[in-house]
Amino acid sequence: MKAIFNRILILAILVSSAFSGQAQKTSFDDVRTVSLQNSGPILENGQVKGYYMFYMVDKVDRKSRAYMLRILDENLRDVAKKKFIKSKHTSLKEATYNNKAFLFSFVDYKAKTLELVSYDKEMKRLGKRTIELDKWALSQYYTQGTNKGTEMEPSLNKMIFPIGDRGFMRYNMKKNKKRKIGYELEYLPNDLKKSGTWNKDSPEESKAVLMAGYGDANDKYLVSSITSKPKMLSNKGIAFSISVLNLETKKIVFEKELKSKKYIYSFMNAFINDEKETIMVFGEYFNPGDNIVKAKSQGLCALEYDMKGKIIGLAHHSWEGAIAKKIGVDKKGRIEDGGYVAFHRITKSADGHYYAVGEMYKKSVSGLGVAAKMLGGQGALVKMVILDMIIFDFNADLSLNDVEVIEKRKSDFFLAEGMGIYPPTLLAYVIRAYGGFDYSYTQENEDKSSFFSTFSSTSKEKGKKRKAYFGIIAHTDGDNDYVLDKVDLSTDASYIRVLPAKPGYIMLIEYFRKAKKIETRLEKINY
């Protein structure tokens, strides 16, 4: 049944003062500069256990800066802090925790190096490695962190992932013997010693461009998505595969292109079923011969593989069939008022349901672009309009249970000149790469019985100025309705950022440039 915003249970609009007595707060002075990507949550089994912050505190000389690395617990209490003298071109790109060790990755853009440093829980250094980056490897770090996702969305921001509590896996790009771009999966032990490091790389003789992305992992297996195409700057002949690596034997269990007798498939998410030892893959399906990046998909799909690489379960939900029965879809696969769907996250609940969280978008004429052209300037005649949030609910047997649309204010994403001719599917990649969607992250509670997805938007009351808010869409197993909560983001700070937090909260970081101060606080939410 189609469900729009008026069917959502709206509990409250929370303002920052409403919970000032309950929220934990902390602040740091003498912060010269701070970047959005230099702070984030520390996760343990998917739950927030603390935060890291990396910021400049002083200028040492013309080339060097003094930086502070600060670790907070989930209640924003100081756990540890370390001061570093590093190049002014240094940025902290990631902090990963595996229940025993922290791994921090620093990039020096001028020296073209990646520095990996690991610490134990007491912040005693375990190991250090410096890796030289070629231009292809370095290019990954220029785009990392440009979107509004966080470490809760691995496919968006992270290149290093925990492997049990014994080490980490680093995804990297490299050139093979044929001078084609390939991938490198590098296992790193907690102490970063080379004797414990091993690699699983793409074939050196491959004539195709091969790129790997994280899917899922447990103590025994690592699931990756593999994207293959003939040329780096072309999307012709693109294909997706799933690769399963045995972490104990260090051998590939199977690698299969995502296709069946009738269709080819894109990759969205993967799940390892520990009990059945199967792999569940979600994506969209296309007719054979279609260009997955350019063509309109036929609908959503789910594939279940056994550990021999055989498809043992398969479900298709077409836009014009099963999905159209739940919500209005036209013959071009557009929902509601002409919007396509970009999927951000798929989560599995304790009752076996799968929830695919997406956001709608469409093309529209850009008034600014038209005006610029009339005045002899440059600009795209087309812009992208970011529309409502949408959630697809699949039963445990992969049948489609329901579709929910959550209304929010439209926002615009302006395209570079000439990009207006790109197909909608390709433009979704562009919007995501540059942080143009309003979606932020999805968070689950520890027993998987509830989750909430978040987004940024604005609202306006009559006679008042428009305000920015952070939206939370929550769902609990057994409930028919979703709960929508809003947190007011009005602030005098130079910028404000929202991060995941312990159950029942979100964490806000505010940076005041003139005062050289960072303030953090936990805000209670309803879900």
Side-chain angles (χ1 to χ4, degrees):
M1 174 180 176
K2 176 183 171 183
I4 308 299
F5 182 75
N6 58 13
R7 193 181 147 213
I8 306 296
L9 175 61
I10 305 175
L11 290 183
I13 298 180
L14 303 180
V15 295
S16 59
S17 60
F19 289 95
S20 59
Q22 301 175 34
Q24 294 99 324
K25 300 180 180 180
T26 189
S27 63
F28 317 119
D29 297 318
D30 299 322
V31 181
R32 293 285 293 271
T33 60
V34 64
S35 299
L36 284 172
Q37 70 268 29
N38 285 349
S39 59
I42 296 169
L43 305 178
E44 182 177 322
N45 298 322
Q47 301 301 301
V48 175
K49 297 299 180 182
Y51 301 92
Y52 66 90
M53 294 185 179
F54 183 71
Y55 51 88
M56 190 180 88
V57 293
D58 200 7
K59 180 179 178 180
V60 178
D61 54 39
R62 187 171 59 88
K63 296 182 179 180
S64 304
R65 302 291 184 266
Y67 297 95
M68 181 69 74
L69 174 60
R70 206 169 201 124
I71 305 297
L72 309 177
D73 68 12
E74 67 267 35
N75 295 309
L76 305 185
R77 294 186 292 251
D78 258 322
V79 173
K81 58 182 180 180
K82 284 187 175 291
K83 196 172 183 179
F84 299 89
I85 305 298
K86 290 185 176 292
S87 162
K88 66 179 182 180
H89 304 288
T90 297
S91 176
L92 173 63
K93 303 306 296 186
E94 293 185 55
T96 308
Y97 182 60
N98 68 5
N99 298 349
K100 277 192 178 179
F102 294 97
L103 181 59
F104 296 96
S105 61
F106 299 90
V107 172
D108 185 326
Y109 289 103
K110 186 172 184 180
K112 298 180 182 179
T113 57
L114 171 68
E115 183 181 85
L116 302 174
V117 187
S118 61
Y119 296 91
D120 64 14
K121 293 181 179 180
E122 286 71 45
M123 293 301 289
K124 178 183 176 181
R125 197 170 83 179
L126 299 174
K128 179 181 175 181
R129 281 187 61 190
T130 300
I131 301 169
E132 293 185 0
L133 302 173
D134 61 25
K135 68 176 183 179
W136 295 108
L138 188 64
S139 68
Q140 299 175 98
Y141 295 98
Y142 278 113
T143 57
Q144 188 184 22
T146 56
N147 54 65
K148 291 179 285 189
T150 71
E151 280 73 4
M152 303 299 289
E153 306 300 332
S155 62
L156 297 181
N157 282 319
K158 291 184 70 63
M159 299 178 192
I160 298 175
F161 303 88
I163 301 298
D165 60 6
R166 63 185 187 271
F168 306 86
M169 190 66 74
R170 184 173 78 95
Y171 283 69
N172 184 39
M173 292 171 63
K174 67 169 206 172
K175 278 194 174 182
N176 64 20
K177 292 180 179 179
K178 298 291 185 181
R179 300 194 61 77
K180 289 283 190 177
I181 296 299
Y183 62 83
E184 173 187 44
L185 303 185
E186 182 182 25
Y187 174 79
L188 302 164
N190 288 343
D191 60 10
L192 301 181
K193 290 183 178 179
K194 288 190 176 181
S195 58
T197 300
W198 53 270
N199 290 48
K200 182 59 67 174
D201 301 348
S202 56
E204 283 291 337
E205 303 297 330
S206 175
K207 296 182 180 180
V209 173
L210 298 172
M211 294 175 287
Y214 177 83
D216 195 14
N218 60 15
D219 289 336
K220 188 175 180 180
Y221 299 109
L222 172 69
V223 181
S224 301
S225 66
I226 308 297
T227 305
S228 170
K229 56 183 181 178
K231 297 180 180 179
M232 186 66 185
L233 299 179
S234 174
N235 289 309
K236 291 182 179 179
I238 192 168
F240 291 91
S241 300
I242 177 177
S243 178
V244 180
L245 172 66
N246 187 313
L247 297 167
E248 296 173 353
T249 65
K250 305 172 188 176
K251 295 181 178 180
I252 297 294
V253 180
F254 72 86
E255 185 168 315
K256 295 284 186 179
E257 185 177 345
L258 294 178
K259 66 179 182 179
S260 64
K261 292 180 180 180
K262 292 184 64 176
Y263 301 108
I264 57 175
Y265 305 98
S266 65
F267 179 91
M268 286 164 48
N269 280 85
F271 298 89
I272 300 174
N273 188 318
D274 294 327
E275 295 180 0
K276 296 172 61 179
E277 278 213 342
T278 60
I279 310 294
M280 187 72 71
V281 176
F282 281 86
E284 294 179 78
Y285 67 99
F286 301 78
N287 289 320
D290 281 352
N291 184 320
I292 289 179
V293 174
K294 294 182 177 181
K296 177 185 77 70
S297 76
Q298 300 300 306
L300 302 177
C301 65
L303 302 88
E304 186 175 13
Y305 289 86
D306 65 15
M307 283 303 171
K308 294 181 179 180
K310 182 181 179 181
I311 298 176
I312 59 174
L314 187 58
H316 300 95
H317 302 288
S318 70
W319 297 117
E320 297 178 30
I323 296 174
K325 292 178 182 178
K326 304 288 183 180
I327 191 169
V329 181
D330 67 16
K331 291 184 178 180
K332 292 185 178 181
R334 297 177 300 191
I335 294 177
E336 293 301 314
D337 58 347
Y340 296 90
V341 178
F343 288 95
H344 300 305
R345 176 73 180 270
I346 294 180
T347 182
K348 183 182 179 182
S349 66
D351 64 3
H353 281 234
Y354 293 90
Y355 296 89
V357 181
E359 195 168 0
M360 292 185 286
Y361 66 102
K362 69 176 182 179
K363 285 184 179 182
S364 182
V365 175
S366 171
L368 288 175
V370 172
K373 287 288 187 182
M374 292 178 65
L375 295 173
Q378 294 184 340
L381 299 177
V382 176
K383 66 180 179 180
M384 302 307 296
V385 181
I386 312 304
L387 303 167
D388 299 329
M389 301 297 297
I390 186 167
I391 300 178
F392 292 78
D393 172 9
F394 298 93
N395 295 310
D397 64 0
L398 302 181
S399 59
L400 183 62
N401 181 52
D402 202 1
V403 181
E404 296 277 352
V405 175
I406 299 90
E407 289 183 345
K408 59 180 175 64
R409 185 172 183 266
K410 299 175 182 178
S411 60
D412 293 334
F413 177 80
F414 294 96
L415 300 171
E417 187 172 16
M419 294 186 70
I421 63 172
Y422 288 9
T425 306
L426 181 56
L427 286 172
Y429 288 96
V430 175
I431 300 169
R432 182 177 285 113
Y434 287 94
F437 284 112
D438 295 330
Y439 171 81
S440 184
Y441 65 87
T442 294
Q443 188 171 354
E444 305 161 335
N445 67 352
E446 195 161 7
D447 65 5
K448 310 289 187 183
S449 63
S450 66
F451 75 92
F452 62 85
S453 294
T454 62
F455 62 92
S456 300
S457 191
T458 61
S459 62
K460 188 179 185 302
E461 297 180 21
K462 190 174 182 179
K464 296 183 179 180
K465 292 183 178 180
R466 183 170 295 281
K467 289 185 177 182
Y469 72 87
F470 193 70
I472 300 107
I473 311 161
H475 186 271
T476 300
D477 290 356
D479 290 351
N480 292 325
D481 291 313
Y482 290 74
V483 174
L484 178 66
D485 207 352
K486 296 181 181 180
V487 175
D488 188 357
L489 295 184
S490 301
T491 180
D492 294 325
S494 302
Y495 80 71
I496 184 171
R497 185 184 182 194
V498 184
L499 292 177
K502 63 183 181 180
Y505 291 85
I506 58 173
M507 198 274 259
L508 284 80
I509 302 176
E510 294 176 289
Y511 174 52
F512 299 85
R513 185 175 288 109
K514 288 185 178 180
K516 299 178 182 178
K517 181 174 67 172
I518 290 176
E519 290 186 355
T520 66
R521 69 179 188 273
L522 296 177
E523 289 284 352
K524 189 169 180 58
I525 60 174
N526 292 297
Y527 77 101

PDB file of all heavy atoms in Angstrom, residues 135-154:
ATOM      1  N   LYS A 135      49.391   8.063  -8.920  1.00  0.00           N
ATOM      2  CA  LYS A 135      48.298   9.020  -9.141  1.00  0.00           C
ATOM      3  C   LYS A 135      46.931   8.358  -9.071  1.00  0.00           C
ATOM      4  O   LYS A 135      45.951   8.991  -8.660  1.00  0.00           O
ATOM      5  CB  LYS A 135      48.468   9.747 -10.470  1.00  0.00           C
ATOM      6  CG  LYS A 135      48.291   8.883 -11.716  1.00  0.00           C
ATOM      7  CD  LYS A 135      48.381   9.743 -12.968  1.00  0.00           C
ATOM      8  CE  LYS A 135      48.127   8.919 -14.231  1.00  0.00           C
ATOM      9  NZ  LYS A 135      48.181   9.754 -15.445  1.00  0.00           N
ATOM     10  N   TRP A 136      46.862   7.070  -9.439  1.00  0.00           N
ATOM     11  CA  TRP A 136      45.564   6.398  -9.403  1.00  0.00           C
ATOM     12  C   TRP A 136      45.149   6.105  -7.964  1.00  0.00           C
ATOM     13  O   TRP A 136      43.994   6.277  -7.591  1.00  0.00           O
ATOM     14  CB  TRP A 136      45.621   5.115 -10.224  1.00  0.00           C
ATOM     15  CG  TRP A 136      45.839   5.370 -11.672  1.00  0.00           C
ATOM     16  CD1 TRP A 136      46.971   5.137 -12.385  1.00  0.00           C
ATOM     17  CD2 TRP A 136      44.922   5.976 -12.569  1.00  0.00           C
ATOM     18  NE1 TRP A 136      46.811   5.547 -13.688  1.00  0.00           N
ATOM     19  CE2 TRP A 136      45.562   6.057 -13.830  1.00  0.00           C
ATOM     20  CE3 TRP A 136      43.617   6.462 -12.440  1.00  0.00           C
ATOM     21  CZ2 TRP A 136      44.934   6.601 -14.939  1.00  0.00           C
ATOM     22  CZ3 TRP A 136      42.993   7.002 -13.560  1.00  0.00           C
ATOM     23  CH2 TRP A 136      43.649   7.065 -14.792  1.00  0.00           C
ATOM     24  N   ALA A 137      46.121   5.653  -7.164  1.00  0.00           N
ATOM     25  CA  ALA A 137      45.824   5.393  -5.760  1.00  0.00           C
ATOM     26  C   ALA A 137      45.503   6.692  -5.028  1.00  0.00           C
ATOM     27  O   ALA A 137      44.586   6.749  -4.211  1.00  0.00           O
ATOM     28  CB  ALA A 137      47.006   4.692  -5.101  1.00  0.00           C
ATOM     29  N   LEU A 138      46.242   7.758  -5.347  1.00  0.00           N
ATOM     30  CA  LEU A 138      46.015   9.047  -4.683  1.00  0.00           C
ATOM     31  C   LEU A 138      44.655   9.622  -5.040  1.00  0.00           C
ATOM     32  O   LEU A 138      44.011  10.288  -4.220  1.00  0.00           O
ATOM     33  CB  LEU A 138      47.126  10.024  -5.074  1.00  0.00           C
ATOM     34  CG  LEU A 138      47.164  11.363  -4.322  1.00  0.00           C
ATOM     35  CD1 LEU A 138      47.445  11.139  -2.840  1.00  0.00           C
ATOM     36  CD2 LEU A 138      48.210  12.289  -4.929  1.00  0.00           C
ATOM     37  N   SER A 139      44.200   9.366  -6.280  1.00  0.00           N
ATOM     38  CA  SER A 139      42.914   9.927  -6.721  1.00  0.00           C
ATOM     39  C   SER A 139      41.754   9.453  -5.861  1.00  0.00           C
ATOM     40  O   SER A 139      40.752  10.162  -5.712  1.00  0.00           O
ATOM     41  CB  SER A 139      42.666   9.559  -8.190  1.00  0.00           C
ATOM     42  OG  SER A 139      42.445   8.161  -8.337  1.00  0.00           O
ATOM     43  N   GLN A 140      41.869   8.267  -5.273  1.00  0.00           N
ATOM     44  CA  GLN A 140      40.804   7.759  -4.405  1.00  0.00           C
ATOM     45  C   GLN A 140      40.590   8.666  -3.194  1.00  0.00           C
ATOM     46  O   GLN A 140      39.478   8.864  -2.738  1.00  0.00           O
ATOM     47  CB  GLN A 140      41.144   6.359  -3.904  1.00  0.00           C
ATOM     48  CG  GLN A 140      41.320   5.318  -4.970  1.00  0.00           C
ATOM     49  CD  GLN A 140      41.780   4.006  -4.377  1.00  0.00           C
ATOM     50  OE1 GLN A 140      40.981   3.114  -4.134  1.00  0.00           O
ATOM     51  NE2 GLN A 140      43.071   3.884  -4.133  1.00  0.00           N
ATOM     52  N   TYR A 141      41.694   9.212  -2.690  1.00  0.00           N
ATOM     53  CA  TYR A 141      41.622   9.996  -1.459  1.00  0.00           C
ATOM     54  C   TYR A 141      41.151  11.425  -1.700  1.00  0.00           C
ATOM     55  O   TYR A 141      40.679  12.092  -0.781  1.00  0.00           O
ATOM     56  CB  TYR A 141      42.983   9.988  -0.759  1.00  0.00           C
ATOM     57  CG  TYR A 141      43.370   8.609  -0.296  1.00  0.00           C
ATOM     58  CD1 TYR A 141      44.230   7.812  -1.045  1.00  0.00           C
ATOM     59  CD2 TYR A 141      42.841   8.082   0.871  1.00  0.00           C
ATOM     60  CE1 TYR A 141      44.571   6.535  -0.634  1.00  0.00           C
ATOM     61  CE2 TYR A 141      43.171   6.805   1.291  1.00  0.00           C
ATOM     62  CZ  TYR A 141      44.030   6.038   0.532  1.00  0.00           C
ATOM     63  OH  TYR A 141      44.363   4.764   0.943  1.00  0.00           O
ATOM     64  N   TYR A 142      41.285  11.908  -2.940  1.00  0.00           N
ATOM     65  CA  TYR A 142      40.759  13.233  -3.245  1.00  0.00           C
ATOM     66  C   TYR A 142      39.235  13.250  -3.165  1.00  0.00           C
ATOM     67  O   TYR A 142      38.624  14.234  -2.749  1.00  0.00           O
ATOM     68  CB  TYR A 142      41.211  13.685  -4.634  1.00  0.00           C
ATOM     69  CG  TYR A 142      42.609  14.263  -4.662  1.00  0.00           C
ATOM     70  CD1 TYR A 142      43.629  13.604  -5.339  1.00  0.00           C
ATOM     71  CD2 TYR A 142      42.905  15.465  -4.021  1.00  0.00           C
ATOM     72  CE1 TYR A 142      44.917  14.131  -5.377  1.00  0.00           C
ATOM     73  CE2 TYR A 142      44.181  15.994  -4.050  1.00  0.00           C
ATOM     74  CZ  TYR A 142      45.182  15.316  -4.724  1.00  0.00           C
ATOM     75  OH  TYR A 142      46.452  15.840  -4.749  1.00  0.00           O
ATOM     76  N   THR A 143      38.603  12.163  -3.593  1.00  0.00           N
ATOM     77  CA  THR A 143      37.136  12.119  -3.593  1.00  0.00           C
ATOM     78  C   THR A 143      36.573  11.548  -2.298  1.00  0.00           C
ATOM     79  O   THR A 143      35.401  11.730  -2.001  1.00  0.00           O
ATOM     80  CB  THR A 143      36.617  11.263  -4.762  1.00  0.00           C
ATOM     81  OG1 THR A 143      37.185   9.948  -4.675  1.00  0.00           O
ATOM     82  CG2 THR A 143      36.996  11.881  -6.087  1.00  0.00           C
ATOM     83  N   GLN A 144      37.417  10.860  -1.499  1.00  0.00           N
ATOM     84  CA  GLN A 144      36.930  10.260  -0.259  1.00  0.00           C
ATOM     85  C   GLN A 144      36.479  11.359   0.696  1.00  0.00           C
ATOM     86  O   GLN A 144      37.195  12.295   0.990  1.00  0.00           O
ATOM     87  CB  GLN A 144      38.035   9.443   0.404  1.00  0.00           C
ATOM     88  CG  GLN A 144      37.543   8.630   1.593  1.00  0.00           C
ATOM     89  CD  GLN A 144      38.691   7.919   2.275  1.00  0.00           C
ATOM     90  OE1 GLN A 144      39.828   8.319   2.144  1.00  0.00           O
ATOM     91  NE2 GLN A 144      38.382   6.877   3.014  1.00  0.00           N
ATOM     92  N   GLY A 145      35.248  11.223   1.188  1.00  0.00           N
ATOM     93  CA  GLY A 145      34.738  12.187   2.162  1.00  0.00           C
ATOM     94  C   GLY A 145      34.014  13.363   1.555  1.00  0.00           C
ATOM     95  O   GLY A 145      33.550  14.237   2.264  1.00  0.00           O
ATOM     96  N   THR A 146      33.887  13.427   0.201  1.00  0.00           N
ATOM     97  CA  THR A 146      33.175  14.549  -0.397  1.00  0.00           C
ATOM     98  C   THR A 146      31.676  14.437  -0.202  1.00  0.00           C
ATOM     99  O   THR A 146      30.956  15.424  -0.212  1.00  0.00           O
ATOM    100  CB  THR A 146      33.468  14.655  -1.908  1.00  0.00           C
ATOM    101  OG1 THR A 146      33.129  13.408  -2.536  1.00  0.00           O
ATOM    102  CG2 THR A 146      34.930  14.964  -2.156  1.00  0.00           C
ATOM    103  N   ASN A 147      31.162  13.221  -0.024  1.00  0.00           N
ATOM    104  CA  ASN A 147      29.728  13.062   0.195  1.00  0.00           C
ATOM    105  C   ASN A 147      29.405  13.219   1.667  1.00  0.00           C
ATOM    106  O   ASN A 147      30.280  13.350   2.513  1.00  0.00           O
ATOM    107  CB  ASN A 147      29.256  11.702  -0.314  1.00  0.00           C
ATOM    108  CG  ASN A 147      30.060  10.571   0.287  1.00  0.00           C
ATOM    109  OD1 ASN A 147      30.010  10.357   1.486  1.00  0.00           O
ATOM    110  ND2 ASN A 147      30.805   9.863  -0.547  1.00  0.00           N
ATOM    111  N   LYS A 148      28.113  13.211   1.993  1.00  0.00           N
ATOM    112  CA  LYS A 148      27.689  13.446   3.362  1.00  0.00           C
ATOM    113  C   LYS A 148      27.548  12.171   4.165  1.00  0.00           C
ATOM    114  O   LYS A 148      27.020  12.180   5.265  1.00  0.00           O
ATOM    115  CB  LYS A 148      26.362  14.216   3.366  1.00  0.00           C
ATOM    116  CG  LYS A 148      26.514  15.641   2.888  1.00  0.00           C
ATOM    117  CD  LYS A 148      25.195  16.365   2.868  1.00  0.00           C
ATOM    118  CE  LYS A 148      24.324  15.943   1.719  1.00  0.00           C
ATOM    119  NZ  LYS A 148      23.134  16.774   1.547  1.00  0.00           N
ATOM    120  N   GLY A 149      28.007  11.064   3.622  1.00  0.00           N
ATOM    121  CA  GLY A 149      27.956   9.813   4.354  1.00  0.00           C
ATOM    122  C   GLY A 149      28.988   9.763   5.461  1.00  0.00           C
ATOM    123  O   GLY A 149      29.819  10.635   5.613  1.00  0.00           O
ATOM    124  N   THR A 150      28.946   8.735   6.257  1.00  0.00           N
ATOM    125  CA  THR A 150      29.898   8.550   7.333  1.00  0.00           C
ATOM    126  C   THR A 150      30.392   7.129   7.284  1.00  0.00           C
ATOM    127  O   THR A 150      30.094   6.383   6.365  1.00  0.00           O
ATOM    128  CB  THR A 150      29.244   8.798   8.701  1.00  0.00           C
ATOM    129  OG1 THR A 150      28.350   7.716   8.964  1.00  0.00           O
ATOM    130  CG2 THR A 150      28.473  10.091   8.735  1.00  0.00           C
ATOM    131  N   GLU A 151      31.135   6.748   8.324  1.00  0.00           N
ATOM    132  CA  GLU A 151      31.640   5.389   8.390  1.00  0.00           C
ATOM    133  C   GLU A 151      30.514   4.363   8.491  1.00  0.00           C
ATOM    134  O   GLU A 151      30.736   3.165   8.361  1.00  0.00           O
ATOM    135  CB  GLU A 151      32.593   5.245   9.577  1.00  0.00           C
ATOM    136  CG  GLU A 151      33.992   5.787   9.298  1.00  0.00           C
ATOM    137  CD  GLU A 151      34.065   7.295   9.255  1.00  0.00           C
ATOM    138  OE1 GLU A 151      33.060   7.972   9.508  1.00  0.00           O
ATOM    139  OE2 GLU A 151      35.150   7.821   8.950  1.00  0.00           O
ATOM    140  N   MET A 152      29.277   4.806   8.761  1.00  0.00           N
ATOM    141  CA  MET A 152      28.153   3.875   8.769  1.00  0.00           C
ATOM    142  C   MET A 152      27.831   3.412   7.351  1.00  0.00           C
ATOM    143  O   MET A 152      27.095   2.457   7.162  1.00  0.00           O
ATOM    144  CB  MET A 152      26.914   4.539   9.381  1.00  0.00           C
ATOM    145  CG  MET A 152      27.117   5.078  10.796  1.00  0.00           C
ATOM    146  SD  MET A 152      27.552   3.804  11.995  1.00  0.00           S
ATOM    147  CE  MET A 152      26.007   2.921  12.123  1.00  0.00           C
ATOM    148  N   GLU A 153      28.342   4.088   6.352  1.00  0.00           N
ATOM    149  CA  GLU A 153      28.089   3.742   4.962  1.00  0.00           C
ATOM    150  C   GLU A 153      29.411   3.356   4.303  1.00  0.00           C
ATOM    151  O   GLU A 153      30.051   4.155   3.626  1.00  0.00           O
ATOM    152  CB  GLU A 153      27.454   4.931   4.225  1.00  0.00           C
ATOM    153  CG  GLU A 153      26.204   5.464   4.902  1.00  0.00           C
ATOM    154  CD  GLU A 153      25.116   4.425   5.004  1.00  0.00           C
ATOM    155  OE1 GLU A 153      25.057   3.515   4.173  1.00  0.00           O
ATOM    156  OE2 GLU A 153      24.319   4.512   5.931  1.00  0.00           O
ATOM    157  N   PRO A 154      29.874   2.128   4.505  1.00  0.00           N
ATOM    158  CA  PRO A 154      31.199   1.725   4.050  1.00  0.00           C
ATOM    159  C   PRO A 154      31.450   1.947   2.573  1.00  0.00           C
ATOM    160  O   PRO A 154      32.541   2.327   2.174  1.00  0.00           O
ATOM    161  CB  PRO A 154      31.254   0.233   4.384  1.00  0.00           C
ATOM    162  CG  PRO A 154      30.196   0.011   5.390  1.00  0.00           C
ATOM    163  CD  PRO A 154      29.150   1.039   5.137  1.00  0.00           C
TER     164      PRO A 154
END
